[in-house]
Amino acid sequence: MKKILIISYHFPPNTAVGGLRIQGLAKYLREFGWEAIILTTALPDNSNTQFRVIQTPYYDVIGVWKKRFGLKPDEGVKKQFGISTSKNKRSLVDFILTFLSEFIAYPDAQKGWYNYAVEAGSELLSNESIDAMISSSKPETCHLIANKLKSKYKIPWIADLRDLWTKNYYYNYSPIRKLREKRLEIKTLSKADALVTVSIYLAEKLSTLHKGKHIYVIPNGYDPDEMNISPVDLTTKFTITHTGSLYQGKRDPAKLFEAIRDLISEEKLNPNEIEVRFYGPPEDWLENDIERYGLQNNVNWYGIIPRKVALEKQKESQLLLLLLWDHPEEIGVYTAKIFEYLAAQRPILAIGGPKGVVKDLLAETNAGVYATSVGDVKKALKKFYDEYKLKGNVEYKGERAKIDKYSQREMARKFAEVLDTLTRR
């Protein structure tokens, strides 16, 4: 069996999107002749032992600077100053933090991992026969590490960009930094044998900067084992569940709240039968929006819960809520959440812009409905609610054969094809 070194800052039990992608990759690459060795930062003692993981120390660049200003390194600056977040306004502290990060966190806040990872990777590559290497971002420091190892050991290297680097529409630094970082991106990835991203739209954007590069599209996926978890009883209420983080002014539930308020006022929806549940980090503006739409009795925030519990909450819900930014640049972004939702096998209500890969996926798999306006949301909710009233639950109509194309096993198969091609050259 061939061996591959995977460089990823995130790895479970860290449940960040990147960590789940890499865990699935390591888990299912075995079926296609590749044994994965993970290079990552130090994990908790209860970390998963089914994989070979090389853990290294980590120098917290941001934490050190916080200490210099007398702040707690593991707590947010705004929280320590008692400043609440606003969905529409940026405070002076926001601008100061952005300015400081232009210099302190270049190219990212995890750059303190670089030296430790290069040393550990060099030791592995010097003592074992490793056939290829994958680096997965964010953070982009993973690619800098791979670039250094590639220069010395000359093994095939795939740079996996789950999110784009300087072509990312969330990139919020100054034009001066972006110009500088764009040069760093081109220089760093020039040594990669292939680039991977998650959608054809992002691949097209990537190709404008990295001309002539082999670029492959490999979406994230759900773990088939999670789909096979024992079923749970559906909630008796008409529940709509969202798990994970929200983003101020970009992915928020305002259209849903307005639709529910209207349907209740029109007496088309019984307020005693509906509950919207949010599981994730707290958001000050969310509570304000709930009050603004008069939905205090219908919308609840339950805080952060273990991932295993989150999966159970998804499976018991009548509907799953997926929020996308209503922006043209969002059309190529799946978000990892949709793959979790596919595994839950419950109808998905996605709210976002006019088109894109999520809308195409839902249409292809029949796993849910895509809505772009308040009117669309009202229409979808009314249909789902009427079915709930008639049958006692909302029926799931997803097509398993088509959904299987978006599993982590299929993701690993596509990576293996690229790896086999590179190692045959």
Side-chain angles (χ1 to χ4, degrees), residues 274-302:
I274 183 171
E275 181 186 13
V276 182
R277 311 185 302 183
F278 289 95
Y279 297 92
E283 298 285 355
D284 294 340
W285 57 267
L286 177 61
E287 184 177 346
N288 295 334
D289 277 8
I290 293 171
E291 293 181 2
R292 181 157 60 93
Y293 288 99
L295 298 175
Q296 296 93 321
N297 296 326
N298 304 104
V299 182
N300 293 299
W301 168 72
Y302 292 99

Side-chain angles (χ1 to χ4, degrees), residues 195-242:
L195 307 181
V196 167
T197 191
V198 298
S199 75
I200 186 64
Y201 297 97
L202 297 188
E204 290 172 353
K205 291 186 67 174
L206 203 56
S207 67
T208 63
L209 189 60
H210 302 280
K211 301 183 186 301
K213 276 288 181 186
H214 294 286
I215 301 176
Y216 299 87
V217 175
I218 306 178
N220 290 316
Y222 66 87
D223 187 342
D225 288 344
E226 291 181 348
M227 180 176 279
N228 296 326
I229 294 174
S230 300
V232 297
D233 293 333
L234 296 177
T235 57
T236 55
K237 273 192 171 184
F238 182 64
T239 47
I240 303 171
T241 300
H242 181 280

Side-chain angles (χ1 to χ4, degrees), residues 67 136 141 152 154 177 184 242 246 249 261 327 332 343 354:
K67 285 183 178 180
S136 187
T141 288
K152 185 174 181 180
K154 312 300 181 185
R177 167 163 168 168
L184 177 65
H242 181 280
L246 300 171
R261 182 195 63 188
H327 190 282

Side-chain angles (χ1 to χ4, degrees), residues 144-409:
L144 299 181
I145 295 163
N147 176 283
K148 183 69 173 180
L149 296 176
K150 169 74 173 182
S151 299
K152 185 174 181 180
Y153 297 98
K154 312 300 181 185
I155 64 173
W157 165 32
I158 297 175
D160 175 37
L161 293 91
R162 303 184 309 272
D163 296 301
L164 300 189
W165 190 338
T166 57
K167 285 286 186 178
N168 192 327
Y169 60 87
Y170 284 129
Y171 191 94
N172 60 354
Y173 295 113
S174 69
I176 295 176
R177 167 163 168 168
K178 186 169 186 178
L179 177 62
R180 180 187 177 199
E181 196 164 355
K182 185 182 293 185
R183 291 171 179 167
L184 177 65
E185 176 181 349
I186 294 171
K187 180 181 178 181
T188 301
L189 299 184
S190 65
K191 292 182 181 178
D193 298 278
L195 307 181
V196 167
T197 191
V198 298
S199 75
I200 186 64
Y201 297 97
L202 297 188
E204 290 172 353
K205 291 186 67 174
L206 203 56
S207 67
T208 63
L209 189 60
H210 302 280
K211 301 183 186 301
K213 276 288 181 186
H214 294 286
I215 301 176
Y216 299 87
V217 175
I218 306 178
N220 290 316
Y222 66 87
D223 187 342
D225 288 344
E226 291 181 348
M227 180 176 279
N228 296 326
I229 294 174
S230 300
V232 297
D233 293 333
L234 296 177
T235 57
T236 55
K237 273 192 171 184
F238 182 64
T239 47
I240 303 171
T241 300
H242 181 280
T243 58
S245 299
L246 300 171
Y247 293 90
Q248 298 180 41
K250 296 176 181 176
R251 296 175 185 172
D252 67 57
K255 291 179 181 177
L256 175 69
F257 290 170
E258 185 175 345
I260 293 173
R261 182 195 63 188
D262 290 352
L263 289 172
I264 290 175
S265 66
E266 295 166 7
E267 299 185 350
K268 296 178 180 178
L269 197 159
N270 186 338
N272 297 319
E273 293 179 333
I274 183 171
E275 181 186 13
V276 182
R277 311 185 302 183
F278 289 95
Y279 297 92
E283 298 285 355
D284 294 340
W285 57 267
L286 177 61
E287 184 177 346
N288 295 334
D289 277 8
I290 293 171
E291 293 181 2
R292 181 157 60 93
Y293 288 99
L295 298 175
Q296 296 93 321
N297 296 326
N298 304 104
V299 182
N300 293 299
W301 168 72
Y302 292 99
I304 299 173
I305 56 176
R307 185 166 187 274
K308 182 179 179 181
V309 178
L311 298 179
E312 292 174 353
K313 295 300 180 183
Q314 292 170 8
K315 284 181 174 290
E316 73 177 18
S317 187
Q318 298 291 344
L319 289 179
L320 297 175
L321 175 64
L322 183 68
L323 298 171
L324 302 169
W325 187 18
D326 189 357
H327 190 282
E329 293 288 352
E330 186 84 0
I331 63 173
V333 178
Y334 284 105
T335 79
K337 189 60 56 187
I338 192 169
F339 300 102
E340 265 189 17
Y341 284 179
L342 288 177
Q345 300 179 83
R346 296 303 303 145
I348 300 168
L349 172 60
I351 303 174
K355 62 178 182 178
V357 291
V358 170
K359 183 178 181 181
D360 294 341
L361 184 151
L362 292 177
E364 177 189 357
T365 61
N366 202 33
V369 174
Y370 193 94
T372 61
S373 66
V374 174
D376 291 338
V377 177
K378 287 177 65 176
K379 182 178 179 181
L381 278 180
K382 181 66 166 56
K383 182 178 180 181
F384 284 130
Y385 179 70
D386 288 347
E387 183 176 3
Y388 161 81
K389 291 292 290 181
L390 180 65
K391 299 180 180 180
N393 66 274
V394 181
E395 183 181 357
Y396 179 65
K397 300 174 183 177
E399 299 180 33
R400 180 64 184 267
K402 294 178 179 178
I403 290 172
D404 284 346
K405 293 167 53 180
Y406 297 96
S407 71
Q408 289 180 346
R409 178 177 283 112

